[in-house]
Amino acid sequence: MQTILITGAAGDVGSRLRKLLKGVYSRLRISDIRKPADLRTDEEFIAADLSDYGQVEKITAGIDGIVHLGGYSVEGPWETIHKSNIVGCYNLFEAAYRAGVKRVVFASSNHAVGFYPRDRKIGVDVTVRPDSRYGVSKAFGEAVGALYADKHGLRVTCIRIGNVNDRPLDKRRLSIWIKPEDLAKLVRIGLEHPDIRFEIFYGASGNDAAWWDNSNAARFGYRPEGRSEEFRAEVMVEQAKLASDPIGDRFQGGPFCSDEYDADWKG
Ligand code: 15L
């Protein structure tokens, strides 16, 4: 892998990965709908709206591997999700294939499976159970990735990212936290490992309270360095200040599950 494109490079995760991947590949091209506030003079930036196929063609030309973070990163109105995460994601895979890109690492999300209860440990082979329109769009991205891998030989890695931060923020994040350096490790496996065809990994550090079986990532050599347990005492102090959320606290997706929830399940 020589020339890598990072979409969504102006966002929080994108900004962290730009720094962590700098110098790892000979050339990094970064893209977003807006210029990153901290763009350095030695960074190659091309602005692109992913919902415009012509613009996506321009950013994917001459690229070997893509880290696709671009899109809308929380729940939103359908029009927004559709434009950014459905049309934008399809354009990205289609343009990547047409341009001869070899690998795509897709930033999926825990919200593709957010309606699994917290007392169930899940692997990567479960049926998707999205907790939001956003989660549906991430399940869509995984499906599009599988299609381009199986039909066209693109090497695709989907990372169901938990929460990327310097430290876990609350009790739920003790289970799903990922240290930025660990996310960079997973991205590098997706871009470099010779045996990748189509894989799904959970984007989590080595958390004792994990709800996810991440043995598939371990199989490809993932050895996380972050451990959320180290932060448990301070996290629980923060958690005690939060209001309880009877629905959100039952499911892995937390507030994404309780948002707009009006199911009336008996039993
Ligand atoms: C996500 O997928 C979001 O992009 C991020 O902002 C967080 O909300 C995270 O999930 C989470 O579940 O904490």
Side-chain angles (χ1 to χ4, degrees):
M1 289 287 107
Q2 296 301 314
T3 307
I4 303 298
L5 165 70
I6 304 180
T7 68
D12 179 62
V13 176
S15 302
R16 291 172 184 273
L17 283 179
R18 272 161 56 206
K19 294 190 184 96
L20 291 165
L21 296 179
K22 189 174 159 49
V24 174
Y25 303 103
S26 43
R27 198 169 143 209
L28 275 189
R29 175 182 294 165
I30 66 174
S31 180
D32 204 302
I33 202 157
R34 64 194 157 90
K35 201 178 196 170
D38 59 347
L39 187 72
R40 291 187 308 261
T41 45
D42 62 344
E43 286 184 305
E44 176 190 345
F45 172 75
I46 307 181
D49 177 346
L50 298 177
S51 68
D52 179 333
Y53 186 75
Q55 295 185 35
V56 185
E57 269 185 321
K58 289 196 182 112
I59 59 172
T60 50
I63 291 293
D64 299 311
I66 301 176
V67 183
H68 179 42
L69 309 170
Y72 202 70
S73 63
V74 287
E75 178 62 316
W78 174 243
E79 294 68 29
T80 306
I81 297 289
H82 180 259
K83 182 173 178 227
S84 305
N85 295 10
I86 303 289
V87 177
C89 181
Y90 180 81
N91 284 347
L92 189 282
F93 276 103
E94 173 67 9
Y97 161 54
R98 300 276 167 206
V101 173
K102 293 176 190 64
R103 292 180 184 242
V104 174
V105 175
F106 170 58
S108 182
S109 167
N110 71 92
H111 297 291
V113 287
F115 261 121
Y116 279 97
R118 295 186 182 189
D119 59 8
R120 177 150 170 212
K121 193 153 191 166
I122 57 171
V124 293
D125 51 355
V126 292
T127 307
V128 291
R129 297 293 288 272
D131 58 23
S132 49
R133 292 174 289 278
Y134 167 67
V136 168
S137 75
K138 292 300 180 180
F140 170 84
E142 292 183 5
V144 176
L147 174 68
Y148 279 85
D150 292 335
K151 186 161 278 192
H152 302 301
L154 197 64
R155 294 180 191 270
V156 177
T157 304
C158 302
I159 308 177
R160 288 181 182 160
I161 301 175
N163 188 245
V164 187
N165 218 321
D166 296 327
R167 55 181 285 275
L169 299 174
D170 54 21
K171 187 166 177 247
R172 175 173 166 267
R173 266 67 166 252
L174 285 175
S175 298
I176 69 164
W177 174 65
I178 182 163
K179 188 176 173 172
E181 287 76 4
D182 286 339
L183 181 61
K185 288 183 193 204
L186 287 171
V187 166
R188 289 195 60 181
I189 291 170
L191 290 176
E192 297 169 31
H193 199 291
D195 299 333
I196 295 280
R197 288 192 179 183
F198 175 79
E199 297 298 338
I200 297 178
F201 300 150
Y202 282 102
S205 285
N207 305 328
D208 290 355
W211 299 318
W212 307 324
D213 170 0
N214 216 6
S215 50
N216 195 39
R219 202 162 64 86
F220 283 88
Y222 177 52
R223 302 286 177 268
E225 60 185 62
R227 307 223 145 261
S228 64
E229 278 313 298
E230 287 168 15
F231 301 91
R232 179 172 285 274
E234 58 194 78
V235 165
M236 294 315 283
V237 171
E238 291 306 310
Q239 180 67 32
K241 298 177 192 159
L242 301 174
S244 75
D245 175 357
I247 298 302
D249 293 346
R250 264 172 52 203
F251 296 105
Q252 298 184 4
F256 284 65
C257 298
S258 45
D259 179 40
E260 301 179 35
Y261 186 95
D262 58 7
D264 188 18
W265 295 107
K266 303 276 184 259

